[in-house]
Amino acid sequence: METLLQQIVNGLVVGSVYALVALGYTMVYGILGLINFAHGEVVMVGALTALQTLLLLMGIAPDMAPLLKLAIAVLVAMPVCMILGFLMERLAYRKLRNAPRLAPLITAIGMSFLLQTLAMIIWGRNYHTFPQLISTDPMQPIPGVFITPVQVTIVIVSALVMAGLILLVTKTRLGRAMRATAENHRVAALMGVDTNAIIALTFVIGAALAAVAGVMFASNYGIAHYAMGFMPGLKAFTAAVLGGIGNLGGAMLGGIVLGLVEAVGAGYIETMTFGFLNSSYQDIFAFVILGIVLIFRPTGLLGERVSDRA
Amino acid sequence: MKKTGIAIAIMGLGFGLMSGGVSAADMVVKLGHVGPLTGSISHLGKDNENGALLAVEEYNAKGVTIGGKKIKFEIMGEDDQADPRAGTTVAQRLVDAEVVGVVGHLNSGTTIPASRIYHQAGIPMISPSATNPKLTQQNYAGVFRTIANDVQQGGAIGKFATGTLGAKNIAIIDDRTAYGQGLADEVEKSAKASGGKIVAREFTNDKATDFMAILTKIKAQNPDVIFFGGMDAQGGPMLRQLKQLGINAKFITGDGACSGEMLKLAGDALSANAYCTQAGLPLDKMPGGKDFKDRYKKRFNLDVQIYAPYAYDAAAAMIEAMKAADSTVPAKYLPALKKINFQGVTGNVAFDDKGDIKEGAITVYQYKDGGWNPVD
């Protein structure tokens, strides 16, 4: 029982990070129908920028409170990623907005490689140790189930950020403009929405979320690396598809479900298959679930409003 | 237009002859080096390349004369990204560039498929770090390694866990690479043979950072010792996560995670419960270790990671064999390489009939006072 609870905790933590990254994929897809494969790299840039800021802060103000340092690092990483997101859209994707769908997709993959290589040139090839400023000493809320303060922070921050985003999209004028652009950007433009600005803003918001996810990811595992964004990016993309790409609630649900499926899958796959399969099939397990969901619900768990888009 | 072209060609020819005339005695001989120069273990790849480069530069500085000609050795460094497919591609590139020998590759997973290409081209290769037993079991005449293989290493780890540490229940994790899996299999065999019980056998991959799920599963089995077969990039975070889950078992890992990088990546999760093994002797205890450390630092302004001394000895073995055979032609110096016997940085370099190093030592280290210290 403790083991199952522990696996659920593990899954929730990983799932929260997936969900946060998946939001970036799904927002861009919802508005443009583009899968921005370089989104995982924005996560990496966020983590490494925060790392750079932390190292600088430790040099000039070693006595500053650790949490304040981390807050400053996040506040530096977010605008850097926002500028990066803006530039990506402006320079790489805007010109291709009316091109066949394959062209921006391939551009996005190219952008992913480009960012990884640039990061490798700037930060080098080595793994960097990311200072764990939030404690990683385990607590036991239930005897036998361990959770660390940094993991609690991850789940809470993710939940808050996601709630904020939903409020933004559903309750504000800006959110209405975003939804209108998603539905049909030509008509939205006729109604006086500056669709270019809205699309740019979508990239910027997604990048800010990615920066937060990057810092949380690096704080949890204590490492940062120029290729660290690739796997979480891929998993988050899977989560977005699982939940229903283009759907904000779906991205969150997909992230959490994927995290749980992975953790519980890795823990019990061997028992469930009587030793036939083992934990090396951890990832396959997640993709099998994805396959099954897509067979019965081709638009994902919560579904995309496909008919509206057409 | 045509005339200028011819004139340039003639000028070029003239210069070619002139420059040829200046250093008529110098013959350039290319040795290949392959390791991952990009990706998660590129720090180790660069370390190996530097080791081989240092050997070549030192021989060049001393001056080597083979077949009456002064030889200038060059290293042609290639990147295999630790990827078996990229490994065979660059192996073919080195063959096409007509290198006379190859130091590499770093990973067992890339070395084994690449060795076939070198074998077919008749080019000798010496891996400084591929420890999977299969490499030399293929019976390729030109395949060698300067490091002890995983049969020796895994055997030592299994005996250490059950004997010195007195472990009954052992959990094993590997990263599904030829190296990690190969070593883990040997540990499993050896631990079972010496009375240990394998309570869990779990798997991850060489790009993972989250091991919470498999570690939670292992925790339920309550092992005395957890062994991880893989590299430092995974070993460091794994050790942190062991601490986060409140697991107090002893942690042993192989040479891939027995690095300075591991100390940084695992940070404050390290304790006296962390052990690692290294094929060969500690750098300071190698016959030429201290001196090598200084020369390496002076040349590259970097610290030795792990395998640089083995790459150095691999390059040196090739050059020594060429000197002994008085030829840089692969087919001619290969017999000399098989019989080579000289004092290298890492110890006595001599190969058995399979191509494995003869005196392959294994050292167990324990974490103490901020570093890895050899266990007596």
Side-chain angles (χ1 to χ4, degrees):
Chain A
M1 192 59 200
E2 286 155 16
T3 310
L4 180 63
L5 282 176
Q6 181 74 58
Q7 293 293 22
I8 290 172
V9 168
N10 297 341
L12 273 179
V13 174
V14 179
S16 304
V17 178
Y18 288 165
L20 208 48
V21 182
L23 284 175
Y25 276 103
T26 232
M27 277 169 64
V28 168
Y29 185 87
I31 286 198
L32 281 182
L34 162 74
I35 295 163
N36 180 15
F37 271 112
H39 192 62
E41 268 56 55
V42 182
V43 174
M44 170 271 294
V45 171
L48 286 168
T49 310
L51 173 69
Q52 199 72 55
T53 315
L54 284 176
L55 293 179
L56 198 72
L57 283 176
M58 283 172 174
I60 55 172
D63 301 328
M64 197 189 280
L67 286 182
L68 185 61
K69 275 188 210 158
L70 193 65
I72 294 175
V74 174
L75 290 179
V76 173
M78 278 171 68
V80 168
C81 287
M82 286 156 100
I83 293 169
L84 180 67
F86 176 79
L87 289 177
M88 250 187 331
E89 195 275 330
R90 187 69 192 83
L91 300 177
Y93 302 139
R94 186 173 293 184
K95 287 205 185 307
L96 296 172
R97 200 172 292 161
N98 295 316
R101 289 182 85 161
L102 214 51
L105 186 74
I106 291 168
T107 309
I109 294 172
M111 187 56 89
S112 161
F113 281 119
L114 179 72
L115 289 177
Q116 267 197 40
T117 312
L118 284 178
M120 187 177 88
I121 293 168
I122 297 172
W123 284 289
R125 299 181 173 119
N126 285 1
Y127 271 77
H128 300 282
T129 311
F130 195 92
Q132 294 187 304
L133 297 175
I134 307 174
S135 162
T136 54
D137 294 328
M139 308 178 292
Q140 294 187 57
I142 304 164
V145 179
F146 289 71
I147 187 160
T148 62
V150 62
Q151 291 174 318
V152 175
T153 313
I154 287 178
V155 175
I156 292 174
V157 169
S158 296
L160 287 179
V161 169
M162 288 187 258
L165 186 68
I166 295 231
L167 281 181
L168 176 81
V169 172
T170 53
K171 298 280 184 238
T172 63
R173 230 178 115 80
L174 180 67
R176 196 163 63 201
M178 287 171 82
R179 281 178 287 142
T181 310
E183 214 145 288
N184 188 327
H185 61 86
R186 282 194 192 86
V187 176
L190 289 176
M191 298 295 140
V193 176
D194 184 351
T195 48
N196 272 340
I198 294 297
I199 291 170
L201 201 69
T202 307
F203 272 88
V204 167
I205 295 173
L209 299 183
V212 176
V215 175
M216 294 195 311
F217 190 86
S219 302
N220 189 27
Y221 299 115
I223 54 167
H225 182 236
Y226 76 91
M228 65 180 274
F230 186 74
M231 273 315 277
L234 201 63
K235 291 283 174 65
F237 170 62
T238 312
V241 175
L242 183 65
I245 192 154
N247 183 321
L248 291 181
M252 294 179 213
L253 183 69
I256 304 286
V257 168
L258 189 68
L260 287 174
V261 162
E262 275 189 359
V264 175
Y268 293 97
I269 190 168
E270 204 172 342
T271 335
M272 278 189 288
T273 58
F274 304 103
F276 181 65
L277 295 176
N278 52 41
S279 56
S280 59
Y281 296 94
Q282 181 174 2
D283 290 342
I284 289 176
F285 203 78
F287 285 107
V288 166
I289 298 287
L290 177 70
I292 292 171
V293 168
L294 290 186
I295 287 170
F296 292 104
R297 289 191 64 88
T299 53
L301 288 173
L302 296 190
E304 184 207 355
R305 292 161 303 152
V306 184
S307 52
D308 290 359
R309 288 194 51 85
Chain B
M1 210 43 215
K2 216 172 184 181
K3 269 181 190 164
T4 25
I6 293 169
I8 289 170
I10 291 171
M11 274 165 68
L13 198 66
F15 279 121
L17 283 174
M18 271 162 63
S19 61
V22 171
S23 54
D26 275 19
M27 192 169 96
V28 171
V29 170
K30 275 188 285 190
L31 289 176
H33 175 276
V34 195
L37 301 178
T38 52
S40 66
I41 52 165
S42 44
H43 57 291
L44 300 179
K46 196 70 197 165
D47 187 50
N48 281 11
E49 189 178 286
N50 287 344
L53 191 62
L54 188 64
V56 158
E57 285 176 358
E58 288 182 5
Y59 273 102
N60 283 342
K62 263 189 279 177
V64 178
T65 310
I66 291 172
K69 280 188 191 145
K70 196 162 178 296
I71 304 288
K72 185 174 177 289
F73 290 103
E74 272 177 11
I75 288 282
M76 183 173 165
E78 291 287 347
D79 176 16
D80 67 11
Q81 303 160 29
D83 172 37
R85 269 170 302 174
T88 52
T89 311
V90 295
Q92 191 58 49
R93 193 178 303 155
L94 286 176
V95 168
D96 294 343
E98 296 182 338
V99 298
V100 299
V102 174
V103 177
H105 301 196
L106 187 147
N107 308 77
S108 297
T110 50
T111 312
I112 294 169
S115 64
R116 187 181 158 83
I117 292 173
Y118 302 126
H119 171 68
Q120 283 166 349
I123 296 172
M125 59 148 279
I126 309 180
S127 173
S129 50
T131 50
N132 190 301
K134 285 194 191 108
L135 175 63
T136 45
Q137 285 165 1
Q138 304 174 100
N139 291 322
Y140 291 162
V143 172
F144 304 88
R145 63 177 133 216
T146 47
I147 196 149
N149 69 29
D150 288 341
V151 177
Q152 294 160 295
Q153 192 180 178
I157 294 170
K159 281 196 204 98
F160 179 77
T162 50
T164 316
L165 298 180
K168 299 267 180 309
N169 299 323
I170 297 165
I172 295 178
I173 308 170
D174 76 60
D175 66 356
R176 297 266 94 176
T177 60
Y179 159 73
Q181 197 180 345
L183 182 59
D185 287 345
E186 293 303 328
V187 172
E188 182 171 347
K189 258 189 246 167
S190 153
K192 271 185 187 157
S194 45
K197 189 174 162 230
I198 309 300
V199 292
R201 180 79 202 254
E202 297 297 328
F203 309 93
T204 180
N205 65 66
D206 58 348
K207 289 176 189 65
T209 39
D210 186 284
F211 314 101
M212 297 295 268
I214 53 173
L215 293 179
T216 300
K217 189 178 167 204
I218 285 176
K219 188 185 174 191
Q221 310 295 325
N222 216 1
D224 308 312
V225 163
I226 297 172
F227 171 78
F228 170 60
M231 309 304 284
D232 50 13
Q234 279 68 47
M238 187 178 290
L239 209 50
R240 285 178 191 262
Q241 288 163 39
L242 279 172
K243 189 186 157 205
Q244 288 182 13
L245 287 169
I247 301 174
N248 291 319
K250 292 191 161 59
F251 180 81
I252 311 181
T253 179
D255 56 335
C258 206
S259 64
E261 201 68 18
M262 174 77 179
L263 298 173
K264 276 200 279 169
L265 292 174
D268 57 2
L270 283 159
S271 69
N273 272 346
Y275 296 85
C276 70
T277 58
Q278 192 66 262
L281 297 166
L283 186 57
D284 290 330
K285 289 194 178 166
M286 288 175 189
K290 280 211 173 90
D291 193 36
F292 179 82
K293 198 173 166 182
D294 297 339
R295 272 149 45 209
Y296 187 94
K297 181 91 186 171
K298 202 175 146 208
R299 168 66 180 84
F300 302 109
N301 197 24
L302 289 168
D303 289 319
V304 174
Q305 289 284 349
I306 314 180
Y307 306 115
Y310 298 95
Y312 182 96
D313 277 358
M318 281 182 178
I319 296 174
E320 289 294 338
M322 290 177 203
K323 276 161 71 180
D326 202 29
S327 169
T328 59
V329 179
K332 290 193 180 143
Y333 84 82
L334 181 58
L337 186 56
K338 280 175 174 296
K339 284 190 295 233
I340 203 84
N341 194 339
F342 71 102
Q343 189 65 24
V345 171
T346 60
N348 198 44
V349 179
F351 302 108
D352 66 14
D353 51 359
K354 282 205 154 110
D356 282 313
I357 188 96
K358 265 185 187 158
E359 292 166 24
I362 305 284
T363 314
V364 182
Y365 296 79
Q366 183 178 21
Y367 177 79
K368 212 168 67 184
D369 306 327
W372 295 118
N373 291 286
V375 176
D376 301 318

